[in-house]
Amino acid sequence: MLKCPRLFVNHIKALATPSLLDTADSLSQQTRNTFILKRRYPIRLYKKNQKRHNFKRRDFIYDLVEDTNIRKKEPVKMILTQYVKGLGNAGTQVSMSPGLAYYQLLLPRLADYATPENIERYTKLAKDLGDRTPFSSATVENMIKYLSEMRLIVEVSKEIPWTLEKWHIKANFRKSGIHAPEETITMPERPISGPNPDLEGKEFYVTLTINNREQAKVRCCLHHWSPILQIQDMELLSTPGEPIFSEDKPILDSMPAFRVEKKT
């Protein structure tokens, strides 16, 4: 039996309780701080074999030149390991700020640092994938969404006979700020001719081929135009119309609701 149990208990408590010094050491962390300073007053130099003089208070006054903690960080160069929306397919090299790069690409393992080894590795992966990538370019996915939600107003003559052709669609795409070569446009199988007041405001669709790979269906609305009467019925152009061909109704109904363009 212990002769001094109370002293033994106190000794055990002292060993179990960390000291103040240990606590301070466990909470302290190293930081990488670099401050670039410059002496405000030039220091006095002494010649060889001359008695060294003491520094004065003014010799310890410095001006801050740069704080590296607030220096703008260089973008991080990375290479994608798989398809990322808005950025590209595997093997595409991108640059991004360090904060966004870490949380959006590096941490989810969507990209890796663009070292020579990784560039060689993922470039070979991109070649092996070939046309098996989800999309042909970084912007195709957003472009398909944009085209499927637009309503192309196809203006045709109200006085001169016409039959709708690819160049009509190309010209109206150009008015909307989209360059669509004729070879990328697929017209309806049945011809559309006019002028025909019964077709005013009715809809059909064309198929646009992007990069010889992806396809997007675009909703079109027929509108008769005359240089004599240039007043547009905005209510008619912003209201969904009936399809010109009844067999196109299921496809038009399955397409997203179109955006109403506001003209200023």
Side-chain angles (χ1 to χ4, degrees):
M1 185 174 179
L2 296 175
K3 296 182 179 179
C4 302
R6 187 64 181 176
L7 295 176
F8 179 77
V9 171
N10 292 339
H11 179 66
I12 296 298
K13 288 183 178 181
L15 293 177
T17 304
S19 63
L20 181 61
L21 181 61
D22 294 338
T23 305
D25 291 339
S26 63
L27 295 178
S28 62
Q29 295 182 358
Q30 292 183 352
T31 58
R32 298 179 180 179
N33 300 324
T34 303
F35 300 93
I36 301 176
L37 306 177
K38 180 182 179 181
R39 291 184 184 272
R40 179 173 297 181
Y41 305 102
I43 192 171
R44 295 176 298 165
L45 303 178
Y46 57 91
K47 298 180 181 180
K48 188 176 181 180
N49 299 326
Q50 184 181 1
K51 183 180 179 181
R52 180 177 299 182
H53 53 75
N54 296 327
F55 288 106
K56 295 185 177 181
R57 185 176 298 178
R58 57 179 291 170
D59 295 328
F60 297 96
I61 300 177
Y62 299 87
D63 292 327
L64 179 63
V65 177
E66 183 182 2
D67 181 2
T68 58
N69 294 328
I70 59 176
R71 178 189 296 173
K72 185 178 180 180
K73 297 181 180 179
E74 296 294 331
V76 178
K77 295 182 179 180
M78 300 167 292
I79 185 168
L80 300 181
T81 60
Q82 56 183 287
Y83 173 77
V84 180
K85 182 178 179 180
L87 293 179
N89 295 310
T92 303
Q93 297 188 38
V94 296
S95 297
M96 192 177 292
S97 62
L100 294 177
Y102 179 75
Y103 288 105
Q104 295 185 5
L105 295 179
L106 295 175
L107 194 61
R109 296 185 178 180
L110 300 177
D112 207 342
Y113 291 104
T115 60
E117 296 79 8
N118 288 335
I119 292 175
E120 181 180 359
R121 174 186 175 186
Y122 291 109
T123 301
K124 183 178 182 301
L125 175 63
K127 292 181 179 179
D128 294 340
L129 289 175
D131 294 336
R132 291 177 295 167
T133 54
F135 295 96
S136 59
S137 71
T139 58
V140 167
E141 186 176 6
N142 291 332
M143 190 62 188
I144 293 176
K145 183 176 183 297
Y146 178 82
L147 292 173
S148 62
E149 293 178 351
M150 76 175 297
R151 191 192 197 199
L152 183 67
I153 305 299
V154 181
E155 295 181 344
V156 290
S157 176
K158 196 174 184 179
E159 301 168 350
I160 303 174
W162 49 265
T163 298
L164 204 61
E165 299 180 10
K166 290 184 178 181
W167 68 266
H168 291 95
I169 306 299
K170 176 184 176 181
N172 286 277
F173 264 126
R174 187 167 61 245
K175 291 181 180 179
S176 300
I178 299 175
H179 174 67
E182 293 186 16
E183 58 270 17
T184 64
I185 301 172
T186 303
M187 299 291 294
E189 296 180 358
R190 296 165 59 181
I192 303 175
S193 301
N196 186 354
D198 295 335
L199 300 180
E200 177 67 20
K202 290 192 175 181
E203 297 181 348
F204 63 98
Y205 74 91
V206 297
T207 304
L208 205 62
T209 304
I210 306 173
N211 296 337
N212 296 322
R213 181 176 169 184
E214 291 87 2
Q215 291 187 341
K217 292 182 173 60
V218 183
R219 185 192 304 268
C220 301
C221 176
L222 205 62
H223 174 59
H224 291 80
W225 181 88
S226 173
I228 301 175
L229 183 62
Q230 300 184 12
I231 301 176
Q232 294 184 352
D233 188 353
M234 299 307 299
E235 182 179 357
L236 175 65
L237 299 181
S238 60
T239 305
E242 293 295 325
I244 295 178
F245 307 115
S246 58
E247 58 269 22
D248 292 344
K249 183 174 176 57
I251 297 177
L252 292 172
D253 291 342
S254 64
M255 297 173 65
F258 61 87
R259 302 182 305 273
V260 178
E261 303 291 343
K262 295 182 179 180
K263 295 185 178 182
T264 57

